[in-house]
Amino acid sequence: MTRTQRLLTLLQILKESRYPVTADTLASKLQISVRSIYRDIDSLRCQGAEIVGEAGIGYQLKSGLLLPPLMFDDNELEALILGLRWVESNADEELKLAAMRAVNKINSVVKQGAQTVIHQTTLFAPSTQTTSIDNVIAKDLRRSLRKETKAKIEYQDEQGKHSNRIIWPIAIGYMRETQVLAAWCELRQNYRHFRLDRIQSYSALDEKLPYPKHYLFEQWRKDVLCMTTDKI
């Protein structure tokens, strides 16, 4: 994560903690050195955060938010919570945990009346996916999407035939029963769709995509967006 993201995450950890948190604990959660924690604490203090404590004792955020509470109307809050509950029910483990953290963060930055809406809403999203997705493959796939790198996969098609491919990952579609990866396949020299539950192995490569991901995505949308079945 960038240093700005790290500072915001550090603030969030301190805000959610009722008791002082040691530098060692903060360093472990953020996966940085204790010395970096000391520098980050000093930076946040210079920006106006009222953080009390010192090395060896622990740190605690005394004041409230540095920004005014976020404003959402009831419909906006219900839409956010419903979407996050869908992720909790249908995504892989990493995204499920991220959705849970997001709910906690939203709850911490809205006014008290809005917190009631979050806790009492009865909108829910049951699981609709009937196929099991490998959590490690899903995590590595999203990482390569963010970094815009090629990947090597072993794939099993509908007939059970295995093949090894070099692909350019473009997008993931969360369908009713499974998740589908849209990608350019070097073997077929065309866009293809790969069901995540049929990907046997996934290795992100260091080689960058030859074109920006957003360009490939727009080309895919124009050429094959209506394709919903695996034609491999």
Side-chain angles (χ1 to χ4, degrees), residues 120-205:
Q120 295 185 359
T121 181
T122 53
L123 303 181
F124 69 101
S127 177
T128 60
Q129 304 211 350
T130 59
T131 56
S132 177
I133 305 298
D134 186 285
N135 291 315
V136 175
I137 288 177
K139 179 179 179 179
D140 290 343
L141 171 53
R142 287 198 308 277
R143 183 181 296 113
S144 64
L145 279 170
R146 288 192 291 266
K147 293 185 176 181
E148 300 191 22
T149 59
K150 295 183 181 182
K152 180 179 180 180
I153 66 170
E154 179 186 353
Y155 191 72
Q156 180 181 358
D157 65 16
E158 190 175 4
Q159 287 73 41
K161 182 179 178 181
H162 287 253
S163 61
N164 292 299
R165 319 279 187 106
I166 301 296
I167 61 170
W168 309 350
I170 298 171
I172 302 176
Y174 289 80
M175 309 303 183
R176 169 178 257 181
E177 296 182 353
T178 189
Q179 299 171 27
V180 177
L181 167 66
W184 176 270
C185 176
E186 292 189 356
L187 177 66
R188 301 302 188 197
Q189 284 297 294
N190 207 341
Y191 292 105
R192 285 293 187 268
H193 296 146
F194 301 94
R195 285 178 47 152
L196 264 64
D197 59 306
R198 294 181 185 166
I199 296 178
Q200 307 301 300
S201 66
Y202 186 98
S203 300
L205 304 177

